[in-house]
Amino acid sequence: MKRSFFLAAAVLVAAATPALAHTGAGSVSGFSAGFGHPVGGLDHVLAMVAVGILAAQMGGKSMWFVPASFVGMMIVGGLFGMIGVPVPFVEIGIVGSVIVLGGVIAAGRQMPMGLAMALVGVMAIFHGHAHGTEMPVNASGLEYGVGFAVATTTLHAAGIGLSIAVQKMAEKIAPIAVRVGGGGIAAAGALLFIA
């Protein structure tokens, strides 16, 4: 199970290329075009997986509400993009979301769920706007929107799964590390006794 999860995550990351995420190239119809846009760019993949990791790091209800906030606001951003409402600095917002989310995760501090929801919600508008703006002209807006929402949800789930798997591995390694540390302390004590 763990091996297949990591393999799937690796395939998603390896398959993602920023050049394909923002060109409008590829499939030009509905669901598949919408699904392909988020998974086709490393910037989107990293941000969306990071939302899942953040949600798992926070635990509890945040595992549902933080990703749901992202998906909901991404849909709003997508609608803005589809109807031509301008959102400034979209590309900077997308890359910035990767940096900010990575930093928040690395800091490892808990934040109130409402703040996390607001943070990812703002970032989601940029991602959604890119998806909506780059919707192929002949694609069904509803099918396209469902496609990018499903892909995003899948990436959030991958982030949650990855985080949980790492936590479980750490739980198994921690007791061994403590025992090895204890052995090291005893050995140091023996050296002190001898010296």
Side-chain angles (χ1 to χ4, degrees), residues 13-187:
V13 171
T17 58
L20 291 178
H22 301 283
T23 63
S27 177
V28 290
S29 62
F31 182 86
S32 63
F35 189 90
H37 193 262
V39 299
L42 186 58
D43 49 1
H44 292 303
V45 171
L46 289 173
M48 293 172 194
V49 169
V51 168
I53 293 170
L54 175 63
Q57 194 176 43
M58 294 175 65
K61 293 178 182 178
S62 296
M63 287 181 34
W64 295 100
F65 287 110
V66 171
S69 176
F70 188 97
V71 173
M73 293 307 292
M74 183 192 61
I75 290 169
V76 170
L79 289 171
F80 286 172
M82 287 178 195
I83 62 173
V85 174
V87 171
F89 310 112
V90 169
E91 291 299 323
I92 293 170
I94 291 170
V95 173
S97 70
V98 175
I99 295 167
V100 169
L101 286 167
V104 168
I105 292 166
R109 298 217 172 133
Q110 289 292 328
M111 68 171 65
M113 184 173 64
L115 179 60
M117 291 172 64
L119 177 67
V120 302
V122 168
M123 294 172 180
I125 292 172
F126 295 113
H127 288 269
H129 194 273
H131 299 328
T133 301
E134 296 166 15
M135 180 181 82
V137 178
N138 61 344
S140 159
L142 178 61
E143 289 177 19
Y144 183 81
V146 169
F148 73 70
V150 168
T152 298
T153 302
T154 302
L155 291 168
H156 291 333
I160 290 170
L162 177 64
S163 186
I164 290 170
V166 168
Q167 288 171 5
K168 289 202 182 281
M169 285 182 0
E171 288 172 5
K172 290 181 180 180
I173 293 170
I176 295 168
V178 168
R179 291 175 66 191
V180 168
I185 291 168

